[in-house]
Amino acid sequence: MTIRPILTAPDPRLQATSTDVETVDAEIRKLVDDMADSMYAADGIGLAAVQIGVPKRVLVIDLDQKEGKKNPIAYINPKILWASEEMAVFEEGCLSVPEIWDDVERPARIKAEYLDRDGVKQTLEADGMLAPVCSMRWTT
């Protein structure tokens, strides 16, 4: 696996519109692995492919990483199906905008679908920290 450089603002590549992944294959799984390694090297909990210059709808999240564990989960072509009207506030940062943190209000609960690293369609109902992490990156 490879640690790839994370783009930082104002790099114009961060503004690229990401496209759907057509097929989850060995190339996409390698991308997911590289993203996880890059995220860990930067001490992050989430990374989108566009942040390493790949405008594909791929996201890796690992909320366990803050506790010294590694449990990265790939979300490929994620889509929010439902978001609660109830909101939650969490302090957020972004690896592409280093050292800036702020409280952000996002839906407290979401329901979403995505493909996993094997290309299998999954459904996710999230609350707590996972809901805002997902909702900040996913489109409805």
Side-chain angles (χ1 to χ4, degrees):
M1 289 161 276
T2 305
I3 295 173
R4 300 193 196 187
I6 296 173
L7 305 177
T8 56
D11 192 308
R13 292 173 289 176
L14 290 168
Q15 306 256 340
T17 300
S18 295
T19 59
D20 281 344
V21 171
E22 297 296 323
T23 304
V24 179
D25 55 16
E27 180 181 335
I28 294 298
R29 285 187 286 279
K30 172 146 181 24
L31 173 64
V32 166
D33 292 341
D34 289 354
M35 289 171 62
D37 286 346
S38 303
M39 176 184 69
Y40 293 135
D43 196 29
I45 62 169
L47 187 69
V50 73
Q51 290 178 273
I52 58 169
V54 180
K56 295 281 184 190
R57 293 190 61 226
V58 179
L59 177 65
V60 173
I61 297 173
D62 187 352
L63 298 181
D64 293 334
Q65 154 333 85
K66 288 295 183 190
E67 297 171 9
K69 303 173 189 170
K70 290 188 178 179
N71 184 31
I73 299 175
Y75 300 90
I76 301 167
N77 299 339
K79 181 177 182 180
I80 294 176
L81 303 174
W82 172 86
S84 69
E85 290 184 26
E86 177 189 356
M87 304 299 275
V89 176
F90 288 93
E91 184 180 55
E92 293 183 14
C94 177
L95 294 176
S96 291
V97 187
E99 300 185 28
I100 294 180
W101 295 84
D102 203 358
D103 287 341
V104 179
E105 185 177 58
R106 301 201 189 272
R109 295 181 318 281
I110 64 160
K111 182 175 182 180
E113 66 182 18
Y114 64 95
L115 301 176
D116 65 18
R117 69 174 286 123
D118 296 317
V120 176
K121 187 183 234 180
Q122 302 289 333
T123 301
L124 168 73
E125 292 187 26
D127 60 7
M129 184 63 177
L130 186 57
V133 169
C134 293
S135 67
M136 112 176 105
R137 295 278 181 198
W138 299 0
T139 59
T140 55

